Amino acid sequence: MGRKEPESYDGITTNQRGVTIAALGADCIPIVFADPVRKACGVAHSGWRGTLLGVAMATVNAMIAEYGCSLEDIIVVLGPSVGPCCFTLPRESAKAFHNLDPGCVRLFGSPNPYVDIRKATRILLEQGGILPQNIQDQNQDLNLCTSCHPDKFFSHVRDGLNFGTQIGFISIRE
């Protein structure tokens, strides 16, 4: 916030009071970041490409560079997303997830293996230095698959082009 808007982006950070920032997701992960010590926050939209490109850690690194945040103070919430029960990629695309951790891919030998973008995101955050206990991805309905739960979530995987979106948002009140 407060800089020239880039042509495209999947994350944003701020330390401005009273400004709400948001990330959308229908099957992609809306990720919310907070540093209660430095009073800074961020959001990111993380699909499978963004996950592999490191959007989550790029957002963390922006908070560190711009606001002096410390890795041990940053709390991350992974919003609802498509689960490994429903999300497939062509084998060639799934290979990068398999290389990150074989546990991120199920039925890797098939033409369209099942991929766990949530697990991959957690692994990348932990590898980047976010404390495991500061990653919230299992509480309440956060770990439910958006595609499997039409009563709770929108899903592009399930509904095709006629889909809505979930929103992860945060602001600093003080």
Side-chain angles (χ1 to χ4, degrees):
M1 294 281 308
R3 293 195 176 182
K4 184 178 182 295
E5 185 175 340
E7 200 170 294
S8 67
Y9 58 95
D10 276 334
I12 190 168
T13 62
T14 190
N15 66 351
Q16 295 177 25
R17 308 301 187 257
V19 173
T20 300
I21 54 176
L24 305 176
D27 290 309
C28 302
I29 310 169
I31 308 175
V32 178
F33 305 81
D35 180 341
V37 175
R38 298 296 298 193
K39 304 285 193 244
C41 59
V43 293
H45 164 268
S46 188
W48 72 269
R49 287 182 184 93
T51 297
L52 292 175
L53 289 171
V55 69
M57 279 310 299
T59 307
V60 167
N61 290 332
M63 291 174 68
I64 291 168
E66 294 294 321
Y67 314 118
C69 297
S70 298
L71 284 169
E72 62 270 9
D73 296 328
I74 296 174
I75 298 165
V76 183
V77 178
L78 305 184
S81 67
V82 69
C85 48
C86 295
F87 185 61
T88 62
L89 284 174
R91 188 166 190 261
E92 194 57 37
S93 298
K95 191 182 292 184
F97 287 94
H98 190 265
N99 292 341
L100 174 64
D101 184 311
C104 292
V105 182
R106 192 166 46 87
L107 302 175
F108 185 62
S110 73
N112 294 294
Y114 291 87
V115 175
D116 190 339
I117 60 173
R118 296 178 67 74
K119 182 177 195 139
T121 300
R122 175 179 264 282
I123 289 168
L124 291 168
L125 285 165
E126 288 181 11
Q127 285 178 350
I130 296 294
L131 300 175
Q133 65 268 26
N134 285 357
I135 304 170
Q136 298 178 19
D137 58 354
Q138 299 296 318
N139 305 4
Q140 299 168 359
D141 290 344
L142 294 177
N143 63 347
L144 293 178
C145 172
T146 51
S147 183
C148 288
H149 295 276
D151 56 318
K152 293 181 182 271
F153 306 113
F154 297 109
S155 171
H156 179 261
V157 168
R158 180 189 63 235
D159 302 329
L161 294 177
N162 188 25
F163 68 96
T165 56
Q166 282 75 240
I167 300 174
F169 61 92
I170 188 168
S171 64
I172 302 167
R173 290 190 300 182
E174 301 179 16

